[in-house]
Amino acid sequence: QVQLVQSGGGLVQPGGSLRLSCVAVGSISSIYSMGWYRQVPGKQRELVAVFLKGGSTKYAESVKGRFAISRDNAKNTVYLQMNNLKPEDTAFYLCTAEGELVSGDTFHDFWGQGTQVTVSS
C-alpha cells in the first residue's frame, strides 16, 4: 500500500512564500509521476505543478514563474515552492503520485491528505 503524507501550508500574506512537501511511503519501487493539484469549493480540481512520466514538468499557467516543483528521488519526496502568493492561490492543495511497487504492481490515483493554503492580508 502507498501513503502520501503532506506537510506545509497555512496562512500567508499576499506576496509571501510557502513550501509544501509530500513524501510517498510504502513498498515503492519507482515513481512515474508526482505532483500537486489544488481545489477550491465549487470548482474543479486543477493541476498546479507535476513531474510527468519521463521527468518533464508541467505547470498551470497561473503559477508559472512563481511556483517551482522539485523532488528528491531518494526520499520519494516532492516539494512545491510557492513564491509571490496571491489571494487567488488560496485553495486546498493535494499531492498525487503514480508508480510501481516492489511487488511489480502499479499504483495510481493516490492522493495525500491535503493541506490548506490561505493567502490573505
Side-chain angles (χ1 to χ4, degrees):
Q1 191 60 286
V2 175
Q3 271 190 306
L4 302 180
V5 181
Q6 296 180 219
S7 59
L11 173 65
V12 65
Q13 292 187 340
S17 298
L18 284 173
R19 189 191 195 212
L20 305 181
S21 300
C22 175
V23 57
V25 180
S27 300
I28 298 168
S29 172
S30 62
I31 293 179
Y32 302 153
S33 66
M34 195 168 182
W36 299 91
Y37 282 70
R38 65 187 180 187
Q39 189 153 27
V40 175
K43 291 190 175 181
Q44 199 167 8
R45 188 174 293 181
E46 67 166 348
L47 181 146
V48 177
V50 65
F51 280 104
L52 301 171
K53 196 171 182 179
S56 61
T57 56
K58 183 176 181 179
Y59 289 89
E61 285 296 323
S62 61
V63 308
K64 282 183 179 178
R66 300 187 298 120
F67 290 13
I69 189 170
S70 61
R71 64 185 175 185
D72 184 335
N73 290 332
K75 296 180 180 179
N76 289 335
T77 300
V78 68
Y79 306 95
L80 183 67
Q81 179 65 42
M82 304 183 290
N83 298 325
N84 191 21
L85 281 158
K86 303 177 179 181
E88 51 264 42
D89 295 316
T90 295
F92 195 63
Y93 284 70
L94 297 124
C95 172
T96 186
E98 64 175 28
E100 186 172 327
L101 301 173
V102 294
S103 65
D105 293 331
T106 57
F107 65 93
H108 58 90
D109 272 346
F110 274 78
W111 295 88
Q113 79 276 20
T115 187
Q116 180 67 34
V117 171
T118 301
V119 185
S120 175
S121 54

